[in-house]
Amino acid sequence: MTPTRTTPAAEQPKGYRSPLPTPRPHLGHALASEWTKMVSVRSTLFTLGSLVLTVVGFGILFVAQSTDLEYVNISFTTPALFGLLVGQVAVMVLGVLTITSEHATGLVRTTFTAAPNRYRVLTAKYLVFSVTAFVTTALAVFVVGVAAAIVHGGADAGPHAAREWLGALAGCFYVTLLGVLALAVGALVRHSAGAIAAMLGLVTLPPVIGAMLSVWDAAAPVGRAVLQYNAPVALMRLFGMPEGGGPGASPGGVSHMVLILLVTGGAVAASYATVGRRDV
């Protein structure tokens, strides 16, 4: 009978250890990945480029056609509002494409395979998009504001406090929240055209619907509320557009900001709940 040979512990096979560093994945890796996606696709250049061209183009045109006396009742950043009312569409489109483009191409499967923690991926998308959209919007608005201050900063323009620049920052933040809302809708719908159509309707239809409801006496209170609380009116209030008083006057910018925060927060929470439990 052959005796059983015992293998020394030193001769026992060991598990494979990769020579490459394998750090534990964290949010920083997801942020780097989403930033690479953001800067490597043409949609980012087209949407943000159209935003800057629209805001700066319309703003400089208004500055060139206005006089010092007109700035007694408006802020130096108000000329940027006219381009931003159109440029906000570009921010919303970019917000939608930030996530729906991956669903359209199937890249989302690769993303979730490489990063199984879907909440981390979604958080990175929100953070990268928010910072990019806010910085781009704020820079475009402040270019117009500085141009207006240089051209029309004489004594006839009256005094201008620093709070008007803070109001412009709040307006840029409001537009960024619209883009975050668009990203959340894109995460829920997973279809570019459907999400963009929903956001365009949310921004452009309330003034029309409010005007129609105001004609009907029974629905007039609802119509007035819709006319007072919508994205264009919110931006006008935040950017210092003058408005007459009276019962039909719209509320202040704080009320509009609270409303968009509640709506966007609800949509973002729904996107986390949905993305975490479905297949892709």
Side-chain angles (χ1 to χ4, degrees):
M1 182 175 181
T2 305
T4 303
R5 182 172 179 271
T6 303
T7 304
E11 299 180 8
Q12 294 288 344
K14 297 181 179 180
Y16 172 76
R17 184 181 297 274
S18 173
L20 301 176
T22 54
R24 185 175 181 178
H26 52 75
L27 181 60
H29 297 142
L31 290 173
S33 174
E34 294 303 323
W35 173 249
T36 301
K37 296 176 188 177
M38 177 75 71
V39 299
S40 61
V41 295
R42 295 180 179 179
S43 59
T44 303
L45 176 63
F46 291 155
T47 53
L48 294 183
S50 63
L51 167 68
V52 173
L53 288 176
T54 303
V55 174
V56 175
F58 279 98
I60 296 300
L61 181 63
F62 182 90
V63 171
Q65 297 296 323
S66 57
T67 63
D68 292 359
L69 290 175
E70 294 181 72
Y71 290 88
V72 174
N73 297 319
I74 62 176
S75 68
F76 287 133
T77 58
T78 300
L81 170 65
F82 302 101
L84 195 59
L85 288 173
V86 179
Q88 65 182 337
V89 175
V91 177
M92 293 186 294
V93 169
L94 180 60
V96 169
L97 294 180
T98 298
I99 190 166
T100 57
S101 59
E102 291 194 50
H103 286 283
T105 60
L107 180 62
V108 66
R109 297 181 183 275
T110 305
T111 299
F112 287 151
T113 300
N117 191 330
R118 299 185 178 189
Y119 299 126
R120 182 188 298 143
V121 173
L122 191 57
T123 300
K125 286 184 181 294
Y126 279 123
L127 290 176
V128 170
F129 167 78
S130 299
V131 173
T132 303
F134 178 77
V135 170
T136 305
T137 305
L139 286 177
V141 168
F142 273 70
V143 165
V144 177
V146 170
I150 293 175
V151 176
H152 300 290
D156 292 338
H160 289 268
R163 65 177 178 222
E164 67 183 43
W165 297 92
L166 297 178
L169 277 178
C172 296
F173 183 61
Y174 187 94
V175 172
T176 302
L177 288 176
L178 287 177
V180 173
L181 177 60
L183 200 161
V185 172
L188 294 171
V189 177
R190 295 185 295 179
H191 191 272
S192 299
I196 292 173
M199 289 304 302
L200 287 177
L202 181 65
V203 171
T204 61
L205 289 182
V208 179
I209 295 175
M212 295 174 61
L213 293 177
S214 298
V215 178
W216 185 23
D217 292 339
V222 177
R224 286 193 296 269
V226 174
L227 286 175
Q228 292 173 357
Y229 289 96
N230 57 74
V233 171
L235 288 177
M236 292 171 63
R237 296 291 290 166
L238 291 170
F239 274 84
M241 283 289 289
E243 182 182 16
S250 64
V254 175
S255 300
H256 290 284
M257 192 64 71
V258 170
L259 178 61
I260 190 63
L261 283 172
L262 291 176
V263 173
T264 303
V268 169
S271 70
Y272 275 100
T274 303
V275 170
R277 70 166 183 258
R278 64 188 175 196
D279 51 352
V280 291

